Amino acid sequence: MSDAEKTPRRAPAGAAVLQEDVTRAIRAAVFAELASAGYGRLSIEAVAKRAGVGKTAVYRRWKSKLEMVIDVVSAAAEQVTPVPDTGSLPGDVRELIGAAVHALRHPLALQIVPDLLAEAARSPEIAATLEGALRRTQREIGRVVIRSAVERGELPAGTDPEFALDVILGPVYWRLAVIRGELRPDHLDRLARGAVAALVRSGED
């Protein structure tokens, strides 16, 4: 395949403003730039050049670098964290943990997530925006998983979905994104059992 075939081109005059193939190229470029340069040195110009488009194509989609990065990372998080439906709370919890581990072990995630966390620690704006984006994803997953568990009688009504996701996924992020340790399959099973037990006990309090 030639370079011309690999590189997405700017949409011709009169075409739809937000062509999906251009958007995909820009999103891929954002990830590549985050991995190679980090958030602090990432620029709209570099993203546009890597995607093979003009800066205006980027600014049509996002007003700022922060908005662009958060949107792209959040969309990716939604895709790699599907809502499980195994028929039981233990099964759903194990699926969630497995999906999170798979996502965080990706080479790009290993570079991008620690960098964004470090930037968030230095910038209240980045911290607030990142938390808001992640919370939106977390709330939707939590609502579905916990509602199903409540309907099956595994958890009491009134169980907090956000708290549940904190209990389920918090240890995974700590292990892989913060201290960058390993997680064996048997460890994942133990984390899942511990999370389910904690949720059941919290509902009994």
Side-chain angles (χ1 to χ4, degrees):
M1 182 180 293
S2 69
D3 290 341
E5 291 174 314
K6 293 178 182 178
T7 304
R9 296 300 182 186
R10 184 194 303 270
V17 174
L18 299 181
Q19 290 193 342
E20 185 56 34
D21 59 339
V22 175
T23 301
R24 285 196 299 269
I26 295 174
R27 289 181 180 276
V30 171
F31 275 111
E33 285 297 314
L34 278 173
S36 63
Y39 179 84
R41 291 184 294 164
L42 180 143
S43 69
I44 297 291
E45 291 81 0
V47 168
K49 181 178 180 180
R50 185 183 287 268
V53 300
K55 288 192 296 182
T56 55
V58 179
Y59 282 116
R60 285 192 192 106
R61 291 158 173 82
W62 303 282
K63 296 178 182 179
S64 67
K65 179 175 81 169
L66 177 58
E67 181 182 312
M68 175 183 68
V69 169
I70 295 300
D71 179 60
V72 170
V73 172
S74 299
E78 292 176 7
Q79 292 176 0
V80 300
T81 312
V83 179
D85 185 19
T86 66
S88 73
L89 179 61
D92 287 351
V93 168
R94 182 60 177 80
E95 286 286 314
L96 278 176
I97 290 176
V101 169
H102 177 74
L104 288 172
R105 278 178 171 163
H106 191 282
L108 283 178
L110 290 173
Q111 294 173 286
I112 292 171
V113 172
D115 182 62
L116 284 178
L117 292 176
E119 291 291 339
R122 292 190 287 266
S123 168
E125 180 188 10
I126 293 176
T129 306
L130 183 60
E131 180 184 5
L134 293 177
R135 283 292 180 188
R136 284 195 298 273
T137 302
Q138 183 181 27
R139 286 192 188 101
E140 180 57 30
I141 295 173
R143 276 197 297 265
V144 175
V145 170
I146 299 307
R147 182 177 64 240
S148 297
V150 170
E151 291 173 350
R152 291 190 297 261
E154 297 170 299
L155 291 175
T159 299
D160 184 353
E162 285 195 47
F163 171 77
L165 264 291
D166 287 345
V167 171
I168 295 167
L169 298 181
V172 176
Y173 280 95
W174 166 258
R175 186 78 174 183
L176 295 181
V178 180
I179 65 173
R180 302 176 77 101
E182 271 300 314
L183 278 174
R184 302 183 309 275
D186 62 318
H187 197 162
L188 301 186
D189 294 335
R190 291 171 59 194
L191 284 178
R193 290 194 297 269
V196 171
L199 292 175
V200 171
R201 284 198 301 271
S202 69
E204 296 173 347
D205 293 342

